[in-house]
Amino acid sequence: MWKILKNFFILEKSNKKNIFGCIIVAVFVFGMVLFVKTEDLGNSIKEQSIEYQSLSSALIKFQNVDATDNGNGSDIYKNLVLQQQTVAKKRMAIRMNKPELFLDTAIDLANLRDKAFDMEGFDNVASYLPSKTENQLESVFYQYVKRTGISLSTNSLSFFPFLVYLFGVLGSVWFIFMSIYTCGIMIEEFQHTSLIKGYPITFDKYVIAKCISSLLIVGVFLLELFVCSLPLVYFKGLGNPSYPIAIFDGIVEIYPIYKYLGVSILYMMGISIFTILLSIILNVLLKNMYLTLFLELLLYIFPMLFPSLMNLVPFNPFNYFNFTKILSGQTLDLANPVILNSTYGLIYIGISIVIMVVAVKLFLTTGKLRKI
């Protein structure tokens, strides 16, 4: 078994598909590094300016009215004016390097937004403001920073915060990438049976070795994410791996960066194993890589097309494959809010993997694959 794994890995290293995949990952990460550096992402002064402009755009929808307590402006208008004043105060606090004032005004802003959600006319300006979930995540984050006394980061993204941003982007497309990568994992063997007849092992062990070698290549892809991000250490520094991040896990919680990255890697490895096994099963049933890819992508977008089914079938692993959306609580902002627990998502994916392993094993031991 070890010899066949070694042979497989040697073959996989020279496989054009794997070389091309490594190049795509490297180019993507370098592109993201350049984008972050060029756009100065994470710079709080720039973020506050964007926030101020959004509120200005929202206020344009109103006529010029008196925003004082006794004025003729609506409650939502007065609230937006107060929000704009608070954002200006936050920007001033950053420029004057007063982190305590910044935290206090950030918490005040979150409270003002929380009141605005229930006001008449909010729907008319909702597109200019953070969602209720985003506001809740910000509120919990700033309250945690104030309570613990952690130094607030107001500069553009350094290495570890960039990894959070990078994994957040990849979390939305990782299953799609893996589906494209694995959709023809066993097609060549079915088309050229002589490839496997020469190996002195049973066909089920051959498939297991194929899965493990593919998973090792996925490990190389993940390693690339860290290695290709290293230039940011030179440009922006290393950053704090324990810096807090607000996430949704059934409730709003605070994760340090290293825990967020750990959960993301667990999701990506789980999704990778799931996709490899699913591709094998679909290759057996459909005998066509394009049909395999089409069906995998259809299963992926099905929960997006019919989000109400997420509540009816919460154990469907495809609900959790866009794990960035789950961790950011975006499903709570749907027309019919869906509460998905990211920890349960890992459990459901794990159970699905076990079921598929049993299914593949049954196919192999009954000889059904050999007849194809």
Side-chain angles (χ1 to χ4, degrees), residues 83 151 169 293:
Q83 286 190 43
S151 296
V169 173
L293 178 60

Coordinates of all heavy atoms in Angstrom, one line a residue, residues 83 151 169 293:
Q83 N -26.0 59.1 13.4 CA -25.0 58.1 12.9 C -23.9 58.8 12.2 O -22.7 58.5 12.4 CB -25.7 57.1 12.0 CG -26.6 56.0 12.7 CD -27.0 54.9 11.8 OE1 -26.2 54.4 11.0 NE2 -28.3 54.5 11.9
S151 N -5.2 45.9 22.2 CA -4.9 47.0 21.3 C -5.7 46.9 20.0 O -5.6 45.9 19.4 CB -3.4 47.0 21.0 OG -2.7 47.2 22.2
V169 N -12.6 34.7 1.5 CA -13.0 34.7 0.1 C -13.0 33.3 -0.4 O -14.0 32.9 -1.1 CB -11.9 35.5 -0.7 CG1 -12.1 35.4 -2.2 CG2 -12.0 37.0 -0.3
L293 N -19.6 17.1 -12.8 CA -19.4 18.5 -12.4 C -20.7 19.2 -12.3 O -21.0 20.0 -11.4 CB -18.4 19.2 -13.3 CG -18.1 20.7 -13.1 CD1 -17.5 20.9 -11.7 CD2 -17.2 21.3 -14.2

